[in-house]
Amino acid sequence: MKNIAAFFDIDGTIYREGLITEVFKKIIKYELVEEKKWYRDVRPAFLKWDKRQGDYDDYLLKMVDIYVEAIKGIDRHHIEYIAKKVIEQKGDRVYTFTRERIKWHKEQGHKVIAISGSPIELVREMSNKYNMDDFRGSIYLKDENDTYTGEIIPMWDSVSKENAINELIEKYNIDLEKSFAYGDTSGDYTMFELVGTPYAINPTKELLGKVINNKEISEKINVIVERKDVTYNLDINNIKFS
C-alpha cells in the first residue's frame, strides 16, 4: 500500500513568524556579526512589512540575502548551536491549527514532512521537536574547513519544493492524491498543485491570487486564518482583495 503524507512549510505556516529572523538576532547577540547590520539592513525591511507597507515574500528574500552575507566565513558549529537554541526558546510559538494538524496526521499514521525555505539547520531542529518523519530545507554550502561559503541551494521556491516532493514520493512510496500540503506563500504553490488536499494557512495576497486563478486548486483548497484563539475556514470564492 502507498503512504499518505502531509507536507508542511514552517515559516508562517507552523511557526508564527520567520525563524531566520530569530537566527539573525542570535548571530548578533553572540557577536558573530555587527549589530549595525540589523539596524541598517534588516530592521527597516521588517518594520515596513510589520506595518503592512511591504510584501512578506520580498521581506523574506531580503532576509535570505542578508543572512547569506552574515554567515559567510562562520563555522557550522556556531550556526548549529544557534539553531538549537532558537528552537528550544521559540519552537512553541506555533499556530494552534497546524500544531493540531501535525498531531492528527501522526495519529493517522501519515508521513509528516517539513519542506521549508529556512536554513536546513533550523528545519532539522524543528522537525525533531515535532517528531516529523523527514525534512528538507535550504542548504547553505560549506568549504573544506566547515565554514559557510555564501553559496546556497534554496528550498523556498516552487520548483525546489516540487523537486523535493518528487524525491520524497520515491523514498516513501507516497500517494499524492490522498496527501496533504500546508503553506502560506507563493513558494508553496506547486505543493498545492500536487496533493489532493491543500491548506493555505494565513496566505499572502500573492498566493491567494494564484490559487483563485487556478480552478483545479481553488476547488480543493482550504483557506485557514488564525487570529488570537479563533481559527477561520474561509470560502475561497468569497474572498475579496482590498
Side-chain angles (χ1 to χ4, degrees), residues 57-105:
D57 289 335
D58 290 342
Y59 163 69
L60 286 181
L61 288 175
K62 183 172 180 62
M63 275 299 308
V64 168
D65 289 340
I66 297 167
Y67 180 79
V68 167
E69 288 301 313
I71 68 170
K72 191 183 297 183
I74 293 178
D75 187 278
R76 74 172 175 88
H77 296 293
H78 291 306
I79 300 301
E80 289 176 354
Y81 174 79
I82 288 172
K84 188 178 292 291
K85 297 303 290 185
V86 165
I87 302 305
E88 284 178 2
Q89 296 170 10
K90 304 287 187 176
D92 291 319
R93 294 190 66 202
V94 298
Y95 288 113
T96 301
F97 179 81
T98 42
R99 182 178 61 219
E100 292 302 314
R101 292 301 292 179
I102 290 171
K103 179 182 177 184
W104 181 81
H105 283 296

Side-chain angles (χ1 to χ4, degrees), residues 5-6 43 85 90 105 134 141 172 217 221 229 235-236 242:
R43 193 167 182 269
K85 297 303 290 185
K90 304 287 187 176
H105 283 296
D134 211 332
L141 300 178
Y172 292 106
I217 297 180
I221 193 79
D229 58 351
D235 181 354
I236 189 71
S242 58

Side-chain angles (χ1 to χ4, degrees), residues 15-224:
Y15 189 68
R16 296 205 301 260
E17 296 177 17
L19 283 172
I20 196 170
T21 307
E22 301 299 334
V23 172
F24 196 86
K25 290 177 181 178
K26 281 279 192 294
I27 290 173
I28 292 170
K29 179 182 178 181
Y30 296 135
E31 299 182 347
L32 297 175
V33 298
E34 294 179 345
E35 187 174 359
K36 67 180 181 182
K37 198 167 186 64
W38 165 260
Y39 288 101
R40 185 188 65 212
D41 297 333
V42 183
R43 193 167 182 269
F46 174 76
L47 289 177
K48 188 176 180 182
W49 168 78
D50 194 45
K51 294 175 182 177
R52 299 302 187 262
Q53 296 172 347
D55 182 85
Y56 185 67
D57 289 335
D58 290 342
Y59 163 69
L60 286 181
L61 288 175
K62 183 172 180 62
M63 275 299 308
V64 168
D65 289 340
I66 297 167
Y67 180 79
V68 167
E69 288 301 313
I71 68 170
K72 191 183 297 183
I74 293 178
D75 187 278
R76 74 172 175 88
H77 296 293
H78 291 306
I79 300 301
E80 289 176 354
Y81 174 79
I82 288 172
K84 188 178 292 291
K85 297 303 290 185
V86 165
I87 302 305
E88 284 178 2
Q89 296 170 10
K90 304 287 187 176
D92 291 319
R93 294 190 66 202
V94 298
Y95 288 113
T96 301
F97 179 81
T98 42
R99 182 178 61 219
E100 292 302 314
R101 292 301 292 179
I102 290 171
K103 179 182 177 184
W104 181 81
H105 283 296
K106 293 184 72 63
E107 290 173 347
Q108 305 309 306
H110 300 165
K111 297 293 181 183
V112 178
I113 301 169
I115 303 181
S116 171
S118 279
I120 192 74
E121 295 85 357
L122 276 168
V123 180
R124 181 186 298 113
E125 294 299 328
M126 198 68 162
S127 176
N128 290 339
K129 179 176 177 63
Y130 289 95
N131 298 311
M132 297 184 180
D133 296 285
D134 211 332
F135 60 90
R136 296 292 185 275
S138 295
I139 299 173
Y140 292 78
L141 300 178
K142 300 174 286 293
D143 60 20
E144 64 277 6
N145 297 316
D146 250 3
T147 59
Y148 293 95
T149 66
E151 299 174 280
I152 181 173
I153 302 174
M155 189 53 70
W156 57 74
D157 59 286
S158 283
V159 174
S160 297
K161 291 195 175 188
E162 181 177 5
N163 291 338
I165 286 180
N166 287 332
E167 176 192 341
L168 290 160
I169 290 170
E170 297 297 323
K171 184 175 180 179
Y172 292 106
N173 190 27
I174 293 170
D175 185 340
L176 282 183
E177 184 58 35
K178 294 181 180 179
S179 293
F180 302 74
Y182 300 80
D184 70 314
T185 68
S186 58
D188 303 309
Y189 182 74
T190 52
M191 294 204 304
F192 292 173
E193 285 185 306
L194 292 170
V195 302
T197 309
Y199 281 81
I201 311 298
N202 297 316
T204 62
K205 185 176 182 179
E206 182 180 359
L207 176 60
L208 277 179
K210 286 186 174 183
V211 168
I212 288 172
N213 290 321
N214 185 315
K215 184 178 180 181
E216 182 180 350
I217 297 180
S218 63
E219 288 179 349
K220 63 181 180 178
I221 193 79
N222 299 278
V223 180
I224 303 296

